[in-house]
Amino acid sequence: MKTQAFPQLSAIALAVLALTQQAHAQTTDAQATAPAAGEQKAVAQEMQQVVVTGSATNGVRKLDATYSITTASEAQIKEAAASSTADLLKIVPGVFAESTGGNAGANIEVRGFPSGGDAPFVTVQLNGNPLYPAPTLSFLENSSLFRIDDTVDHVEVLRGGPSTVFSNGQPGATMNFILKKGGDDPEGSVRFTTGTGNQRRVDAVYSGKLADNWYGMIGGFHRTSQGVRDAQFPADDGGQVSASLTRRLQDGEVTFWTRVTNDKNAFYTGVPLVAAANSGDQPSAFPGFDPLTGTLGSNELRNVRLEVGPNGQTLNKDLADGRGLHTTVAGMDFQQRINGWNVTNKASYLSGTAPTLAIFTGDAPMTASAYIAKAVASANANAAVVAAAGGRLATGGTATYSNGGGAVAGSQQILSAGIWSVDKDLKSFTDELRVNKEIAPGHTLTAGLYFADFSTQDEWYLGNGTLMTAQNNARPVDVKLDNGVVVSGAGHDGASFFTLDERWNGHNTAGYLADEWKVNDRLSVDAGVRYEQQRVDGTMSVPKSVDLDNNPLTVYNNNASVLSGGNTSIHRTDKEWSYTIGGGYKLAKDMNLFARINSGVAFPQFDTLRDSAGTAPVVKIKQYEVGFKTVGTLYSAYVTAFHTDFKGLPFSQILSDGRQVNDIAGSSGNGVEFELAVRPIQNLQVSFTGDWQDSTYKDFPAGSAAGTNGNRVQRQPKFQARLTPSYRIPMDWGSVKLHATWTTIGDRWSDTQNLQLLPGYKTLDAGVLVSVGDRVDVRLTGTNLTNEFGLTEGNARIIGSGTGGVVFGRPIFGRAWEASLTYRF
């Protein structure tokens, strides 16, 4: 019954079409009031813009593409003032990015695609090559592998469409960053940036001709910042260098490129909040904790020593390492026309590490007195502990600061949070060979082969409970009972509850065939089919529970998860077909309709195979789209109505005590996304982007703890939108551009059970760009200027809505500003 909404959404798209056609007819005379030359150039560029992502023929005019794709130039990327790669997705309708974790570790949801964390339906590409063929592993999604800098020329973001057939077959969203290349004229720029959190950053890039038919580009960035949430140590510290070398050939060219990144980024998780008295209201600040700028991280917690083995084995870790990235990526892009055939080959190789070290919250805070009382009851109920204490029962205890400072007041709120340590050693190689030719008038046939080999070596220590004060820049706390029981030692009140050492390797081989038929000047039809095989081999350690020091009185490490020396293995091979069928019809030169159906798959990746003991199914996804595109001097409109249907989707949730909840279900959704812009007078543009959707779960087994059929898909708002006016003021010496963005995000549910409500919120960003001639830019931007409070995540470590009137959530960042000076030469 829910799919009946799709024809209604199609009607919306057709209504917009009719209105826009009428506006097109009525504004023929109005176009005599043409905008300034600079605006005319921008409109002309939009009309003629060519996109390569999702195109079978290596490039198609954006207006003629029979699928939804958003583009952003270097200038538009800067104007977005994105805090991370994932945060840039806020400019894309139909995508909701939770970028509040910092520079890495985002959760990204795609229109109608259910996902509980990370970004399983988002692929990030560099020059058309997937950075890592699997879009998501535990503690790693593709956006964490990329840092934006001034070497990026532009970005293209494809949703749905023909992506199920090409490259790695991503059915969700593909975010393709295109690097700059050298040209005949040498050019370069240097940009200095400062901002909130004592940010200090420099970007530089230079490109030009090296010799006849040889061209080069080199650039990168370095920066350090304390972050909007000051953990008392650098939140971001590092940089990268990118370079390319291009050789122009007769009827073609080849480009070799590389990028080296060495970056450290703090990772922010949930903070304590006071639950709202009325359902639908926002939680309020927890006493002593500012949810907009606060973080539990601190210098006292920064350097941690984790007990990981029974023979005194320890790991020394630095929380400043956070979710860092230390990788080298290299690739090649070859294009050549041979005897009427267009031949392209894109290949890339990635090697490096992506660690995670962060504080993950669990149970609600309580007073130190209440914590001690709970510890007394637990210790006295444990016969082994009582025996080790000589039969003495505890009657009380003391709490002291681990790093000095005396006793902790009984009224002080404290909480236990885990310091989770995950190390990942990554390698991947991808190659895509594609040939196409017009084999008959109007018929272009494309054939391709895709190969990927990718691996990861992981070492996990989850848990490592740490007792700390519930305040900004928390302090670790030790608790001892009066019968000798040590509840918290050196700040730790728990050891690792999940220890893992694993090795995984995946191989994907796919072949595809696509045909594009231009029936006449107005009508085009295309279709493609893909056959893919994935083979996965994995070896995982078997943990066991031990008392790390063989002392029952030190209860914090009595039940530690350690490696047993045993292993299990999983070997899995899957083979599946995918397809896409679409078509476009030109109502006018720059006004098009399109429709498309695709059927894609998401193969189970390493973590879902481990969690399901190798039984996780292949996810089957169908999408239906009807869209409309037009660009004129006074307006632009891109509108797409969609329906999605999922089968065999795995769900997994790690709770604060180490238990894991797994299940398999599906979902169904309908919606409409839009990118609209009007230019009513010279130098003024107002854009309005966003989406409305209604996506719900289905196929959960009866009594499932993971979710309930009919519940709304977690973490995705029914409605989200961005209104962005901008006004350019020409000057004799250059120009001044003013811009602002008002964003509204609707209510969401943090969990599949629909018990943790995340109320909607609204934010205001603004900026000014002063251009002095063609060489100097001065930019000032501010985000969340009204200091709005909003949540992007609830407590992912519990089932239910929380206890004790206190909840955990990950709020958006508070007010922040950034200023930059750019000099071009």
Side-chain angles (χ1 to χ4, degrees), residues 596-675:
R596 180 170 298 278
I597 178 175
N598 72 38
S599 177
V601 300
F603 288 110
Q605 295 302 332
F606 305 151
D607 303 285
T608 51
L609 289 173
R610 180 194 62 241
D611 295 340
S612 67
T615 64
V618 175
V619 181
K620 306 288 183 68
I621 305 148
K622 282 191 176 180
Q623 299 179 79
Y624 306 83
E625 299 172 292
V626 175
F628 168 70
K629 300 181 178 184
T630 186
V631 174
T633 304
L634 301 180
Y635 57 82
S636 304
Y638 304 86
V639 181
T640 303
F642 58 88
H643 169 73
T644 59
D645 187 79
F646 277 69
K647 293 182 179 179
L649 189 69
F651 292 85
S652 181
Q653 184 179 6
I654 300 176
L655 305 182
S656 59
D657 59 4
R659 288 182 298 124
Q660 206 160 341
V661 175
N662 300 303
D663 226 324
I664 296 172
S667 72
S668 179
N670 306 292
V672 60
E673 63 177 24
F674 51 88
E675 292 182 77

Side-chain angles (χ1 to χ4, degrees), residues 119-437:
F121 300 110
V122 178
T123 290
V124 176
Q125 295 184 345
L126 181 57
N127 288 339
N129 300 274
L131 285 172
Y132 193 80
T136 282
L137 303 178
S138 289
F139 304 100
L140 181 74
E141 39 74 41
N142 269 197
S143 79
S144 296
L145 296 172
F146 192 84
R147 303 291 185 269
I148 299 173
D149 64 16
D150 289 357
T151 65
V152 172
D153 181 78
H154 67 281
V155 63
E156 302 173 353
V157 186
L158 166 66
R159 283 92 66 204
S163 59
T164 55
V165 171
F166 305 119
S167 187
N168 65 333
Q170 172 60 263
T174 299
M175 192 181 196
N176 186 14
F177 288 93
I178 312 298
L179 291 179
K180 294 176 179 177
K181 294 191 292 187
D184 289 323
D185 298 321
E187 59 181 0
S189 66
V190 178
R191 179 165 61 107
F192 301 94
T193 304
T194 186
T196 298
N198 198 30
Q199 179 184 181
R200 298 292 183 268
R201 174 170 174 145
V202 59
D203 289 74
V205 61
Y206 180 79
S207 63
K209 187 174 183 179
L210 304 177
D212 286 346
N213 296 317
W214 287 95
Y215 303 86
M217 182 278 294
I218 188 169
F221 78 91
H222 186 273
R223 61 99 170 80
T224 183
S225 171
Q226 292 294 114
V228 178
R229 300 182 182 278
D230 186 1
Q232 300 180 332
F233 50 78
D236 302 303
D237 188 5
Q240 70 184 7
V241 175
S242 302
S244 71
L245 179 66
T246 300
R247 166 69 174 177
R248 290 184 183 171
L249 310 169
Q250 184 176 0
D251 294 326
E253 71 174 31
V254 59
T255 298
F256 301 94
W257 52 267
T258 188
R259 169 173 279 210
V260 178
T261 306
N262 189 349
D263 203 19
K264 295 180 180 181
N265 311 108
F267 183 59
Y268 305 111
T269 54
V271 301
L273 302 162
V274 176
N278 300 312
S279 177
D281 291 344
Q282 290 281 17
S284 57
F286 186 81
F289 205 104
D290 186 341
L292 294 172
T293 61
T295 177
L296 292 171
S298 66
N299 276 331
E300 288 194 44
L301 290 171
R302 174 177 176 176
N303 296 299
V304 294
R305 180 173 173 268
L306 306 179
E307 293 184 85
V308 297
N311 301 313
Q313 296 169 280
T314 60
L315 288 177
N316 294 312
K317 294 284 187 175
D318 183 352
L319 277 175
D321 290 339
R323 294 190 85 154
L325 182 65
H326 314 282
T327 57
T328 297
V329 190
M332 178 268 291
D333 185 354
F334 171 79
Q335 304 177 38
Q336 182 69 52
R337 187 170 179 82
I338 305 173
N339 296 326
W341 288 89
N342 295 307
V343 180
T344 65
N345 193 83
K346 296 179 183 292
S348 69
Y349 173 78
L350 177 145
S351 178
T353 61
T356 294
L357 186 71
I359 300 171
F360 287 80
T361 52
D363 294 331
M366 62 181 72
T367 64
S369 295
Y371 182 91
I372 291 173
K374 183 178 178 181
V376 167
S378 176
N380 289 345
N382 189 318
V385 172
V386 173
R392 288 194 303 136
L393 296 178
T395 59
T398 58
T400 58
Y401 292 106
S402 304
N403 298 330
V408 177
S411 59
Q412 171 67 51
Q413 293 281 337
I414 61 176
L415 61 86
S416 180
I419 296 181
W420 292 17
S421 171
V422 176
D423 289 310
K424 302 180 90 69
D425 189 349
L426 305 166
K427 286 184 174 59
S428 78
F429 173 77
T430 65
D431 185 271
E432 184 178 13
L433 173 66
R434 184 183 303 188
V435 297
N436 59 63
K437 184 179 182 179

Side-chain angles (χ1 to χ4, degrees), residues 671-694:
V672 60
E673 63 177 24
F674 51 88
E675 292 182 77
L676 310 173
V678 293
R679 295 173 279 272
I681 62 174
Q682 185 171 306
N683 296 317
L684 173 66
Q685 175 172 292
V686 180
S687 64
F688 185 53
T689 64
D691 73 279
W692 174 90
Q693 64 167 313
D694 184 16

Side-chain angles (χ1 to χ4, degrees), residues 7 112 143 158 218 280 283 319 329 359 471 502 520 555 566 600 730 737 776 812:
S143 79
L158 166 66
I218 188 169
L319 277 175
V329 190
I359 300 171
Q471 65 185 65
E502 62 178 359
N520 53 45
V555 295
K737 183 179 180 180
V776 177
I812 61 176

Side-chain angles (χ1 to χ4, degrees), residues 14-39:
L14 292 173
V16 173
L17 163 64
L19 290 172
T20 309
Q21 272 192 295
Q22 185 179 20
H24 181 73
Q26 292 176 345
T27 57
T28 301
D29 295 332
Q31 292 186 9
T33 61
E39 291 177 84

